[in-house]
């Protein structure tokens, strides 16, 4: 396939870095339904902070552009779909964004073109759910008139070390020849190359078990934290001791939020049940990890009671609301679970996070957050919970936010000096 012209559908945490990278090698257009997002990007700023302004300005100067107009991508011949794959309120896969993107592709795809899916799905979604939509809308026949591939995203929001060009990518195609083309296109822009899977379903499965494995492993550490906390043993001391053995896998307990680890296993769990398999380990891990925000809140309340701090109507400060450190991403943050459990006892809860967009937090969670000068918060609280390990929190005098020496500090991330805290996960 000569003269590759790429369109990336969905310009979020995954799509924009990928589109920017492709633009260094091929004519590339980014497509998104959000006009405000497109307008900001074309002015050279990415609110997700995944692509810095200098890189984005350079890409635009070299021909990269973003659009909301379907006409602008009709001349492309290599389409990449990178939209969200969320779950609904019952943790069932919600394929509506993916099917809508497939409908969009159906309106522009031409004979001989290739569409590659990057969104995380359970095995079979690309060929059984998405491509029939493209066929129906386009009137073209899959694997005769147009072709497909799957290359699962591996973006880690906020990670400036494992950036998209350094990530080894899994690729696949709907025929051996198309698999070679897809692999070649990705290989041409990646530092560490690709792994070509034998089928689209294998590539889909490989992605979903990456995050399912992490979910299970973290759940084990969270269960250990509950056990050792009940015994009065510091979990992180135990982990440090155990990690002195050469083959011990060092992980730490924590809140499991975001749009990957806390969501992707639900896709495989749901599909497994269709085939009559009950995935007990993954299901138990999901339940355990989903309960950790409530656990942290109750541990904090327990410490307050022990120190004689009145919980009812207490003033409590939560440091951080994003789902991970040094990143503005608030999707599926488990800090919200801490907040809602504490709200059963007090309305006087302040959340501070200079990384998060206050308007987005208000829209998504109906919570107002603080993001100004932290100095104004000092001496005002009965308890402080460090929920997110932003760099700005690591060296603060955390006890200065307390009303008195009797106040409680709980460290979810285990990054504060142990002398200054009352408990940690």
């Amino acid at each position: 396939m000569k003269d590759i012209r790429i369109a990336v559908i969905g310009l979020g945490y995954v799509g924009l870095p990928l589109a920017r990278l492709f633009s260094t090698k091929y004519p590339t257009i980014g497509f998104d339904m959000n006009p405000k997002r497109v307008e900001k990007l074309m002015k050279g700023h990415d609110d997700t902070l995944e692509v810095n302004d200098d890189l984005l300005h350079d890409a635009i100067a070299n021909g990269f552009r973003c659009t909301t107009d379907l006409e602008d991508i009709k001349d492309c011949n290599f389409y990449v779909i990178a939209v969200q794959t969320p779950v609904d309120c019952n943790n069932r896969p919600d394929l509506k964004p993916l099917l809508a993107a497939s409908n969009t592709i159906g309106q522009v795809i031409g004979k001989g073109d290739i569409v590659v899916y990057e969104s995380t799905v359970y095995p079979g979604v690309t060929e059984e759910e998405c491509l029939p939509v493209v066929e129906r809308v386009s009137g073209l026949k899959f694997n005769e008139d147009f072709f497909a591939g799957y290359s699962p995203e591996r973006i880690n929001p906020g990670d400036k070390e494992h950036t998209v060009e350094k990530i080894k990518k899994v690729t696949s195609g709907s025929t051996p020849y198309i698999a070679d083309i897809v692999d070649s296109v990705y290989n041409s822009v990646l530092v560490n190359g690709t792994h070509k899977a034998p089928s689209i379903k294998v590539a889909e499965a490989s992605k979903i078990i990456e995050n399912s494995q992490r979910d299970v492993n973290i759940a084990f550490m969270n269960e250990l934290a509950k056990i050792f906390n009940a015994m009065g043993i510091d979990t992180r001391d135990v982990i440090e001791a155990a990690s002195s053995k050469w083959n011990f896998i060092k992980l730490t307990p924590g809140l499991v939020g975001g749009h990957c680890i806390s969501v992707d296993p639900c896709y495989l769990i749901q599909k497994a049940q269709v085939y009559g398999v009950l995935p007990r380990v993954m299901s138990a891990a999901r339940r355990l990890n989903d309960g950790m925000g409530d656990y942290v809140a109750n541990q904090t309340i327990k410490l307050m009671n022990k120190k004689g701090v009145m919980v009812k109507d207490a003033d409590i400060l939560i440091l951080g609301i994003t789902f991970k450190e040094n990143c503005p991403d608030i999707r599926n943050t488990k800090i919200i679970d801490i907040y809602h459990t504490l709200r059963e006892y007090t309305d006087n809860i302040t959340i501070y996070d200079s990384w998060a967009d206050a308007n987005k937090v208000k829209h998504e969670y109906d919570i107002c957050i603080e993001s100004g000068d932290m100095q104004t918060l000092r001496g005002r609280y009965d308890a402080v919970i460090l929920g997110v390990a932003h760099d700005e929190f690591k060296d603060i005098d955390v006890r200065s936010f307390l009303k008195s020496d009797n106040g409680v500090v709980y460290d979810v991330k285990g990054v504060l000096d142990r002398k200054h805290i009352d408990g940690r996960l």
Side-chain angles (χ1 to χ4, degrees):
M1 188 175 185
K2 297 180 181 179
D3 301 322
I4 299 288
R5 300 180 301 279
I6 296 176
V8 177
I9 314 301
L11 298 175
Y13 283 86
V14 174
L16 180 65
L18 185 67
R20 198 284 311 172
L21 180 61
F22 275 140
S23 75
T24 63
K25 188 84 174 181
Y26 307 100
T28 302
I29 300 175
F31 178 87
D32 199 281
M33 298 293 290
N34 185 343
K36 291 183 179 179
R37 171 74 170 157
V38 168
E39 183 182 358
K40 279 192 176 183
L41 291 176
M42 288 308 294
K43 288 180 179 178
H45 179 68
D46 169 27
D47 283 341
T48 71
L49 306 182
E50 291 302 304
V51 178
N52 70 50
D53 290 358
D54 289 341
L55 279 179
L56 190 53
H57 279 293
D58 288 345
I60 293 170
N62 289 319
F64 172 61
R65 61 193 176 104
C66 305
T67 184
T68 59
D69 189 347
L70 274 179
E71 291 296 321
D72 292 339
I73 63 173
K74 280 190 173 179
D75 190 45
C76 295
N77 55 17
F78 192 96
Y79 296 93
V80 179
I81 292 181
V83 297
Q84 291 187 17
T85 43
V87 292
D88 64 17
C89 59
N90 295 312
N91 286 328
R92 292 177 300 201
D94 179 4
L95 298 178
K96 288 194 290 290
L98 201 54
L99 297 179
S102 299
N103 185 290
T104 297
I105 291 299
Q107 297 175 57
V108 296
I109 200 166
K111 285 194 173 184
D113 293 353
I114 297 173
V115 54
V116 179
Y117 289 82
E118 288 236 350
S119 307
T120 303
V121 292
Y122 55 77
V125 166
T126 300
E127 293 159 296
E128 297 166 11
E129 304 285 348
C130 297
L131 295 177
V133 174
V134 179
E135 278 190 313
R136 175 176 54 79
V137 175
S138 68
L140 301 176
K141 186 71 175 174
F142 171 52
N143 267 351
E144 291 182 15
D145 300 319
F146 75 94
F147 305 88
Y150 183 80
S151 179
E153 60 89 3
R154 280 177 167 170
I155 293 292
N156 184 24
D159 189 338
K160 302 309 178 186
E161 179 182 354
H162 303 98
T163 51
V164 62
E165 65 270 17
K166 298 176 185 176
I167 296 170
K168 187 169 186 175
K169 290 271 284 170
V170 173
T171 65
S172 62
S174 55
T175 72
Y177 175 66
I178 295 301
D180 286 341
I181 292 176
V182 172
D183 192 68
S184 175
V185 170
Y186 277 90
N187 233 321
S188 67
V189 295
L190 297 173
V191 173
N192 294 312
T194 60
H195 173 92
K196 186 167 63 173
S199 70
I200 287 176
K201 285 184 179 179
V202 168
E204 290 170 325
S206 73
K207 167 58 180 176
I208 207 159
I209 71 165
E210 291 173 18
N211 289 331
S212 297
Q213 181 188 64
R214 291 194 65 200
D215 196 38
V216 170
N217 286 341
I218 295 170
F220 175 59
M221 304 314 291
N222 281 336
E223 190 161 59
L224 291 179
K226 288 185 173 183
I227 293 169
F228 294 137
N229 284 345
M231 293 179 173
I233 302 171
D234 189 290
T235 306
R236 292 172 192 267
D237 285 345
V238 176
I239 292 169
E240 285 299 321
S243 63
S244 63
K245 188 170 187 280
W246 66 92
N247 60 353
F248 180 80
I249 300 172
K250 185 178 181 181
L251 296 169
T252 54
L255 305 178
V256 183
H259 196 260
C260 290
I261 300 176
S262 62
V263 173
D264 297 349
C266 298
Y267 275 69
L268 190 53
I269 289 169
Q270 179 79 9
K271 192 63 173 179
Q273 292 172 341
V274 171
Y275 283 87
V277 179
L278 180 60
R280 290 181 174 85
V281 173
M282 287 193 296
S283 297
R286 275 285 73 240
R287 287 193 299 271
L288 198 152
N289 285 339
D290 272 347
M292 291 307 292
D294 181 68
Y295 175 78
V296 166
N298 281 305
Q299 287 294 105
T300 304
I301 291 167
K302 182 178 178 180
L303 288 167
M304 292 171 71
N305 284 330
K306 282 185 173 181
K307 297 187 75 171
V309 179
M310 179 69 72
V311 177
K312 187 178 185 303
D313 296 327
D315 294 301
I316 299 176
L317 172 64
I318 301 175
L319 294 173
I321 194 171
T322 61
F323 94 89
K324 66 181 296 187
E325 64 275 6
N326 304 325
C327 171
D329 195 346
I330 61 169
R331 292 175 298 173
N332 201 29
T333 173
K334 296 306 176 182
I335 300 297
I336 295 302
D337 296 343
I338 300 175
Y339 174 85
H340 284 305
T341 298
L342 293 174
R343 277 293 302 273
E344 296 175 21
Y345 301 88
T346 178
D347 292 330
N348 306 321
I349 303 171
T350 302
I351 300 179
Y352 177 91
D353 197 323
S354 63
W355 281 87
D357 184 315
N359 292 326
K360 289 182 179 178
V361 174
K362 177 65 177 175
H363 177 267
E364 187 71 21
Y365 299 110
D366 196 25
I367 294 173
C368 296
I369 66 168
E370 300 284 341
S371 58
D373 185 358
M374 272 196 293
Q375 300 296 326
T376 62
L377 305 178
R378 297 190 184 279
R380 291 171 47 184
Y381 300 98
D382 300 297
V384 177
I385 299 173
L386 177 77
V388 186
H390 294 319
D391 286 344
E392 65 184 306
F393 295 156
K394 292 180 180 179
D395 296 321
I396 60 173
D397 178 4
V398 67
R399 299 202 72 85
S400 69
F401 295 102
L402 297 172
K403 295 177 182 177
S404 68
D405 293 339
N406 212 34
V408 167
V409 174
Y410 192 89
D411 182 6
V412 174
K413 301 298 291 185
V415 297
L416 298 175
D417 189 322
R418 204 182 313 190
K419 298 192 302 288
H420 303 312
I421 66 174
D422 300 282
R424 63 179 181 174
L425 193 58

